[in-house]
Amino acid sequence: MESTFVYTRKRSDFGRQCLFSDEGPKLVENIVPDKTINAEYILKDPVDRSIQMGVMLSEHEANTTRAEYTDRGMNHNEGGWPRDINPLDIEQTTRYRKKVEKDENYIHTMLQLQLAMEHCILQNNAVNIYEEYYSDIEATMPVEHFTAQTVSVYRDICSIKRPITHISWSPDGGQRICVTHCNLEFQRSPPDLSTTSYIWEVENSNKPQMSLRTSVPQVCTEYNPKDQNTLVSGLFSGQVACWDVRRGELPVDVSLSEESHRDPVRNVLWINSKSGTEFFSSSFDGQVKWWDTRKLAAPTDEIVLDMEKVDEQVISRAVGASCLEYEPTIPTRFMVGTENGLVVGCNRKGKLPSEKITARFQAHLGPVYALQRNPGYSKNFLTVGDWTARVWSEDCKESSIIWTSFHRALLTDGAWSPTRHSVFYTTRMDGMLDVWDIIQEQREPSLSIKVCDFQLRCLRVHDQGLLIAVGNHIGTTYLVELSENLTTSQKSEKQQLSNLFERESRREKILEARIREIRLKQKSAKPEDRASKADLSDFEKQPAETATKEFYQVIQKELKAISRADKAEEDEGEGEEGEGASEY
């Protein structure tokens, strides 16, 4: 039922009533044109009209004095000799010169020319307008600011978001990227979590081009550098799988569980082979296995990362592999980053265990998250772990030659620029992407980009160096475009980088030799001498011990300062009470 209310008002309150009726037009006035005035009409073109408060305009003209040029020719012979004197005859020229010097006007003429000549000589000595200053130094390019921008975003289409663990560019010019999603946290994955990874077209960020489906999550997936249709994956179960995108979303072949790794496969890399079907994998179980996609039933070869120098390698003593590095120009050698911060150089063709592990580098305090050789200098490689990134040389095994300062946020991944060899990139847990140019600056990044508000997990640089694919903790991939000056090398940059590596390597070798000498002296010293040398310098002490001692010294100093301040306040309070009592 609707409720209604009627509003009433008197007619007189609306004012006078308007009455309308139909009525024809009324002629008020009719003015007839006067034809006699038409003869007095004068047409003016243009019309001048005067107004008040107009804009005052002024015109000014200026011109420089025109320079007048004239062309004149002159025929001049050597020395201005007369026609009857041969300039090539020494006797004639000498006789004529003596004759001129005996002339009375000769001295006056020379005195007049002397002032002008002396002025020109002094001016030429002060500023030589024809001199080229700094001719031995090459002209340097102007310093340009680095820039970057996010050009595309690829989001995980699953309802439950998963971290990105690996990104791979297709070998057909980078038209597609394969993004692998996996949650590696122990027993943190819900039972209904998706195990699908995706292949995206770079130009289409709305929908993935293809899905890669397995029964267990994929940890890493890598494109075959010689075939854009073939991929290999490392699975969470320790198995490896081979894909052919022309045959669908399911893997073509999967390795047997009993022949595979015992822990999740962290890295897979294709190796340089004639068939183009061989690759190798590493896992947290401390094993490195070689495979052939034509037969994945069993690995073709394997190495156990047992650091003990014994004849037999035992998997129970193996150190877990967190990252893997392979250079195609060195087919039998590779490097492995471990969970305890070691970087191990290995030789596949070694017969004995001591020959298979050729070098060790104590790189970081925690797991090594990234390991890559410099594209232009294979002896130098980059490692990323804990809170810093380091550049190493194979000639210096005890210390890195270049390192960044410790960050507040944990570093997660890093890679060299494939086109500009002095530039590398790192990702951080606070969502920042850092660009480092070690020729220009080594203490601070040349460019820092806030990609997102979540943790960045991995990155992958395009072969041409202009694009970087960055993945975060919630499954979103960002495509970042860099400025051209970050990808184009200058003329002298290669020589500068070579000199930098050689200089830093030489410095570290000198420091290593000095440390060995100090340690040798300590070993050969007597026990009483060792006790007297307890006050060694910070250089000779272990860094961890020195840092611990300094930390406790600062704490003790602060505690003493606080106690002195409290005691001073108490003394002031007692003094005020005593003064009050005496006044009373």
Side-chain angles (χ1 to χ4, degrees), residues 11-26:
R11 177 65 188 80
S12 60
D13 297 337
F14 290 98
R16 185 176 179 180
Q17 184 179 4
C18 297
L19 300 176
F20 300 94
S21 62
D22 295 336
E23 187 177 359
K26 293 182 180 180

Side-chain angles (χ1 to χ4, degrees), residues 195-210:
T195 60
T196 305
S197 296
Y198 307 104
I199 296 177
W200 296 83
E201 284 185 336
V202 175
E203 301 295 336
N204 183 14
S205 61
N206 298 322
K207 183 180 179 181
Q209 181 188 18
M210 186 178 179

